[in-house]
Amino acid sequence: MDLISLADIRAAADRVRGHVVRTPLLSCPWSETPLWLKPENLQPVGAFKIRGVVNALAHLDAAAREAGVVTHSSGNHGQALAYAARARGLHCVVVVPEGASRVKVAAMRRFGAEIVTVPPAERQATTRKLLEERGLTLVPPFDAPEIIAGQGTVGEEICQDLAEPGTVLVPVGGGGLASGVATAVRQLSPGTRVLGVEPELAGDAAESLRVGQLVTWSPEWTRRTIADGTRVGLSELTFAHLRARLDGIVTVTENEIRSAMGTIARESRIVAEPSGAVALAAVMAGRVPAKGPTVAVVSGGNVEPSLLSEVVASERRG
Amino acid sequence: MDLISLADIRAAADRVRGHVVRTPLLSCPWSETPLWLKPENLQPVGAFKIRGVVNALAHLDAAAREAGVVTHSSGNHGQALAYAARARGLHCVVVVPEGASRVKVAAMRRFGAEIVTVPPAERQATTRKLLEERGLTLVPPFDAPEIIAGQGTVGEEICQDLAEPGTVLVPVGGGGLASGVATAVRQLSPGTRVLGVEPELAGDAAESLRVGQLVTWSPEWTRRTIADGTRVGLSELTFAHLRARLDGIVTVTENEIRSAMGTIARESRIVAEPSGAVALAAVMAGRVPAKGPTVAVVSGGNVEPSLLSEVVASERRG
């Protein structure tokens, strides 16, 4: 299987410049060990997803641009696609299951997306039908080289801002972000260890790496974690990237995730969603043996206000 | 009275580079009008204060560096000075009143500051004594040209990132930030309107501009606002800058401040302290007639967890 290269990521960096926030690295003077956060929650839709989407849209030819794009993710990817499509003047259709979060659907509508609501079991079929009948282009959340290359710009920026970090920690859901970041960092800073992080309760990627083949956990099983962005499984493409380029995956507990969310808000003054807090959770819980300055990617910040309020108010450190 | 110039701010920008976070402008797709936030809460001590302090320390001669620095602010300025002094290897003394926030004192200690605790009435006298006996240099929170020039780098960066904003809104406490930002923006983008914002309950700067002379409100009076960073009054130096270079000051209510804090956390995924939210509060409350793209400076994010938790949980917009 063909893996993406650093050149793909550099080309993506040229395409996303000016369309995404060039996020700074934030030092953490409150941490006892040298620690930096890469705050992708600062992107306009609150997640790194915008990077891959902008890169993917830049690849469309004139006919595809004319017809528009479609996805069936109603989470951060759907919002990112709706936002980026509007910025380029493209029509965007999002197929959402009945019962999807009204807040998220409202956000996609605000970005001008056409919402097609269907019973959950019909999402794939409806999407396929839209592709055929209306000539729309499918923009998947992670299973495409252009998406992975776009997410990899996060890794390139980390290496621009911090010479030779000891460890870079990246949340793993579908694996697009981790695949891209590992590709960039391994090339640009060969001495740096790149680790994925996921919740124990959605530890399918860790198990896949351990057994050496793609393992899928059922949605009923991964639904147990509050880190909704990590519930999805890898694809063959992202698994191939992670197996070749990641130094390992560590897992964290639900309490560790909540605690990290609170610390990020109180001490670093940014809002992380549960999936966005897993990398810091791994550092705080001591699940990563120290090795030089550490960078934890905060992948997103789209969290229910009630959960945010709860984690902020619970125990404070120091 | 001599006012600072754009050249002073540009020189400060060279000195602070690499020592402060180059904060991006964050677009607000959730806003109905074009709106950007300048998130100074992302600085390592959670506030813009680090800019002025780093610039001031760069001006010290060898003898002054040897002796060290002192201040009697136990708020964001004290933390910023302790942090910046440690980074330069300078000794830092902070004179704090008995009963000061233990969290803030602990943070200053963590940055290596020597804490001298005195009865509130003795702060000035003790500071003076330290200046004389130990040859320390006083680094004030706002009443010095180097401090104002450092804070002005916020304004220069805004103009680098956004061509000709219609309006720039800046919180006003002691007036150092507003003085610096107004100086930079007025020169770099003459068509832009620069407005200060303060709470109604600490509206001393607005009254000073209105009556044309420096008006001081008693601490008992300004203590009524939750926006603790705006309780302090202007100095003659900052008043002179604001009178010459600001287009006006608007005031906001306590409820408007709380509401803006909640919106910033939920919709822009960053944490603002009450003083840091006043500029956005002015926009959201419709206190600023629309005039092109608007930039609201979020000056800091050091907020009590209980208050943050409360504003996040209350009513959400949209």
Side-chain angles (χ1 to χ4, degrees), chain A:
Chain A
M1 191 170 292
D2 281 349
L3 305 189
I4 69 155
S5 68
L6 179 61
D8 295 325
I9 294 171
R10 288 193 158 139
D14 288 337
R15 291 189 203 101
V16 305
R17 192 169 298 123
H19 299 279
V20 309
V21 176
R22 174 59 171 83
T23 52
L25 280 185
L26 305 181
S27 69
C28 300
W30 51 266
S31 166
E32 276 154 32
T33 55
L35 176 65
W36 305 78
L37 302 182
K38 178 69 170 171
E40 288 297 302
N41 65 311
L42 301 182
Q43 297 296 348
V45 293
F48 70 94
K49 296 279 186 184
I50 187 79
R51 296 176 181 263
V53 158
V54 167
N55 190 45
L57 294 187
H59 283 80
L60 299 181
D61 63 23
R65 284 199 303 271
E66 178 70 23
V69 292
V70 63
T71 190
H72 53 74
S73 157
S74 52
N76 289 339
H77 173 68
Q79 289 186 57
L81 184 63
Y83 178 87
R86 185 182 62 170
R88 291 187 87 97
L90 307 184
H91 187 68
C92 172
V93 183
V94 184
V95 180
V96 306
E98 287 165 0
S101 150
R102 273 188 304 171
V103 172
K104 288 182 175 174
V105 170
M108 293 186 287
R109 279 224 173 82
R110 201 160 50 190
F111 298 144
E114 176 188 344
I115 306 295
V116 177
T117 308
V118 298
E122 293 175 24
R123 281 169 92 176
Q124 305 259 16
T126 304
T127 305
R128 217 173 308 119
K129 203 168 142 217
L130 284 164
L131 292 176
E132 287 160 13
E133 289 180 3
R134 291 170 55 178
L136 301 177
T137 300
L138 178 67
V139 181
F142 54 87
D143 191 28
E146 300 79 25
I147 299 287
I148 295 173
Q151 322 303 31
T153 58
V154 169
E156 191 194 21
E157 291 176 6
I158 289 170
C159 294
Q160 285 167 353
D161 290 355
L162 185 64
E164 299 178 7
T167 307
V168 173
L169 294 160
V170 198
V172 178
L177 178 63
S179 294
V181 169
T183 299
V185 175
R186 179 166 282 262
Q187 281 284 313
L188 293 169
S189 179
T192 300
R193 180 177 55 176
V194 186
L195 297 173
V197 186
E198 61 183 356
E200 267 179 25
L201 299 185
D204 54 319
E207 185 183 339
S208 297
L209 282 197
R210 197 166 54 241
V211 303
Q213 64 178 33
L214 182 55
V215 175
T216 309
W217 289 20
S218 77
E220 288 70 31
W221 201 237
T222 60
R223 192 182 294 147
R224 297 170 304 162
T225 179
I226 55 168
D228 53 344
T230 68
R231 289 175 189 156
V232 62
L234 305 176
S235 68
E236 289 290 354
L237 182 64
T238 54
F239 176 59
H241 280 82
L242 298 190
R243 189 157 58 158
R245 293 173 178 171
L246 211 57
D247 292 297
I249 296 188
V250 297
T251 59
V252 293
T253 68
E254 301 296 296
N255 277 341
E256 288 163 0
I257 295 170
R258 285 171 189 270
S259 175
M261 289 175 70
T263 298
I264 289 175
R266 290 188 303 259
E267 306 284 347
S268 286
R269 308 162 195 96
I270 58 175
V271 172
E273 63 187 82
S275 309
V278 296
L280 180 64
V283 178
M284 287 176 54
R287 297 186 179 274
V288 186
K291 177 175 181 287
T294 297
V295 178
V297 176
V298 178
S299 52
N302 291 318
V303 53
E304 285 298 321
S306 56
L307 175 58
L308 176 61
S309 177
E310 179 193 321
V311 297
V312 164
S314 44
E315 107 288 356
R316 59 179 303 161
R317 57 188 296 291

Side-chain angles (χ1 to χ4, degrees), chain B residues 83-268:
Chain B
Y83 177 87
R86 185 181 62 170
R88 291 189 89 95
L90 306 183
H91 188 68
C92 173
V93 182
V94 184
V95 180
V96 306
E98 286 164 0
S101 150
R102 273 188 303 171
V103 171
K104 287 182 176 173
V105 170
M108 293 186 287
R109 279 226 172 81
R110 203 159 49 189
F111 298 145
E114 175 188 343
I115 306 295
V116 177
T117 309
V118 298
E122 292 175 24
R123 281 169 92 176
Q124 306 258 15
T126 303
T127 305
R128 218 174 308 121
K129 204 169 140 217
L130 284 164
L131 293 176
E132 287 160 14
E133 289 181 1
R134 291 169 55 177
L136 302 175
T137 300
L138 178 68
V139 182
F142 54 87
D143 191 29
E146 298 79 26
I147 299 287
I148 295 172
Q151 323 303 30
T153 58
V154 169
E156 192 193 20
E157 291 176 7
I158 290 170
C159 293
Q160 285 167 354
D161 291 355
L162 185 65
E164 297 179 7
T167 307
V168 173
L169 294 160
V170 197
V172 178
L177 178 64
S179 294
V181 169
T183 299
V185 175
R186 178 167 282 262
Q187 281 284 313
L188 293 169
S189 181
T192 299
R193 180 178 56 175
V194 186
L195 298 173
V197 186
E198 61 184 355
E200 267 179 25
L201 298 184
D204 53 319
E207 185 183 338
S208 297
L209 283 196
R210 195 166 56 240
V211 302
Q213 63 178 32
L214 181 56
V215 175
T216 309
W217 289 21
S218 77
E220 289 69 33
W221 201 236
T222 60
R223 194 181 293 148
R224 297 171 301 164
T225 178
I226 55 168
D228 52 345
T230 67
R231 290 174 189 158
V232 62
L234 304 177
S235 68
E236 290 290 353
L237 182 64
T238 54
F239 176 60
H241 282 82
L242 298 190
R243 189 157 58 159
R245 294 172 177 172
L246 210 57
D247 292 297
I249 296 188
V250 298
T251 59
V252 293
T253 68
E254 301 295 297
N255 277 342
E256 287 162 1
I257 295 170
R258 285 171 189 270
S259 174
M261 289 175 69
T263 298
I264 289 175
R266 289 188 304 260
E267 306 284 348
S268 287

Side-chain angles (χ1 to χ4, degrees), chain B residues 15 52-71 77 80-82 84-93 131 134-140 144 146-147:
Chain B
R15 291 189 203 102
V53 158
V54 167
N55 190 46
L57 293 187
H59 282 80
L60 299 181
D61 63 23
R65 285 199 301 273
E66 177 71 21
V69 293
V70 62
T71 190
H77 173 68
L81 184 62
R86 185 181 62 170
R88 291 189 89 95
L90 306 183
H91 188 68
C92 173
V93 182
L131 293 176
R134 291 169 55 177
L136 302 175
T137 300
L138 178 68
V139 182
E146 298 79 26
I147 299 287

